[in-house]
Amino acid sequence: MTPSYPDSKVFYRRLDRDFRLVASAAGATIVDESGRSYLDASGGAMVASVGHGVEELADALAEAARLGFVSGAQFTHRYVEELAQELAEVLPESLQHSYFLASGSEAVETAVKLARQYWVEKGREGKWKVISRVPSYHGNTLTALSLSGREHYRKIFGPLLSEFPRIPAPDTYRHPGSDASSGAVLEAAIQENDPETISAFIAEPIIGSSAGAMVPREDYYRRTQEICRRHDVLFIADEVLCGMGRTGRWFAFEHFGVIPDILVLGKGLNGGLAPLSAVVAGRQIVDMLARGSGYFNHAQTYSHTPVICAAGLATIRYLKREGLVERCAAMEKPFFERLEALREFEVVGDVRGKGLLAGVEFVVDRTTKEPMPRSDRFAERVTSAAFENGLIVWPNVGHVDGIRGDLVMLAPPFAVTEKEIDLIVGLLEQTLEEVSE
Ligand code: PLP
């Protein structure tokens, strides 16, 4: 029997369907209680970069659990110290100090507060606004959602959201030569809002599901960072999805020759084992607080606690020891070469991404790039048909104009084999044949 609402007492994420019960998971495979197996080509929600069921990660969590709860207000402990150190070793010298939290949304909000406190301590009290982009996704809590360019997530909650300036995100598929793709729209937004009110610019260096693994022009962040510096605006890189090796470098900003002032991490940081995110702050920011009030005016019960930090520590050590970030980079070529086969389908308008992060965009017409009518629910239909075929992909809709735009994301574990990539592509082809009929 598959549990479903209202018989099960779980308030499910969907109340209009049932969920299969997971029995076990290993590597890129999840098995349900009936014995059916699924190839997890999206790491759940682009999270399980190290794959499922890694024993040593589970053991590390169990060991930290024996320490019980340790409050970050009273003590430090080895898991948080060693995790910050392991991260510092792969981070640039100017970006070294990590504040640990639970979800990506929390970390985004914390980064926004940190930027604000920095300016207040610097005597620039007028600076509070954060410029974000459309499309984008920074989380589902209220400020993170206010910053997100994802209309269908925001619609019902409009009255609860705060107003922040938003600019178009670069779109190298539909508008490669536009001001948005060159970053010039940022300068205009800063001027329009008065630079003395702007605290930060937040962006996902390689855009996650909200734009289907969109990789901006190579000079985009150098240009936007130069604009930010000129107007005393901090650059917050939201790498909750694209960070921690997913694009073939430890951090996606490395592809663009820039270093953010504040970095936000989540998802792949924790191996999918515990809710762990991080805000990594630049030295000039932490120093400003250290010399000023002496503390960051923020606190959450579970920040810096042992079990969540142990998840991050075991994950980062595993990634380093197994050379998985390098492996992710090496797999980019075979991954995208195989995915190119999908272009044989008329509905596939674009296949893009970096490392082991890919977006496959569906269109009505490849020449005009006209998006699918939303009433077709194409991305959702592909996702459920793929699931029935034993393949897990992640859908996204609305990136073109807030309503239209259909794509699926692929983000397999870094240890995915070429054989598994062939299987992923084969199952996706079979699914597209069925759905396009
Ligand atoms: N930022 C980005 C880029 C994300 O992709 C997400 C989640 O998908 C978040 C923030 C929010 O993270 P969480 O769902 O852990 O709150």
Side-chain angles (χ1 to χ4, degrees), residues 343-406:
R343 290 193 194 263
E344 288 188 7
F345 290 85
E346 281 297 308
V347 289
V348 173
D350 197 21
V351 177
R352 55 179 176 257
K354 194 93 197 115
L356 284 171
L357 180 68
V360 180
E361 173 155 358
F362 307 112
V363 292
V364 170
D365 182 325
R366 291 217 278 220
T367 318
T368 62
K369 301 176 183 168
E370 190 189 328
M372 298 268 177
R374 189 73 286 274
S375 53
D376 268 12
R377 299 177 60 77
F378 196 81
E380 293 93 327
R381 287 198 290 123
V382 169
T383 306
S384 5
F387 198 79
E388 290 310 319
N389 290 330
L391 177 71
I392 302 175
V393 297
W394 188 266
N396 186 75
V397 300
H399 63 280
V400 177
D401 55 12
I403 297 169
R404 293 175 309 159
D406 287 73

Side-chain angles (χ1 to χ4, degrees), residues 133 170-173 176 181 204-208 211-221 242 247 252 255-256 332 336 350-355 357-359:
R133 307 185 301 190
D171 180 345
T172 46
Y173 172 51
S181 282
E204 299 164 72
I206 288 178
I207 312 177
M214 183 67 72
V215 185
R217 259 168 48 175
E218 190 261 331
D219 63 344
Y220 177 88
Y221 292 103
C242 63
T247 66
H255 294 291
F256 302 93
E332 174 178 320
F336 281 93
D350 197 21
V351 177
R352 55 179 176 257
K354 194 93 197 115
L357 180 68

Side-chain angles (χ1 to χ4, degrees), residues 22-33:
V22 166
S24 64
T29 304
I30 297 179
V31 181
D32 75 15
E33 62 161 357

Side-chain angles (χ1 to χ4, degrees), residues 118-119 122 124 127 190 195-200 226-235:
Y118 168 78
W119 290 118
K122 217 174 168 180
R124 309 274 293 271
K127 281 183 167 294
I190 295 175
E196 213 31 57
T197 68
I198 310 291
S199 162
E226 183 276 315
I227 296 167
C228 286
R229 294 240 160 98
R230 205 154 20 84
H231 294 292
D232 286 343
V233 168
L234 298 175
F235 172 35

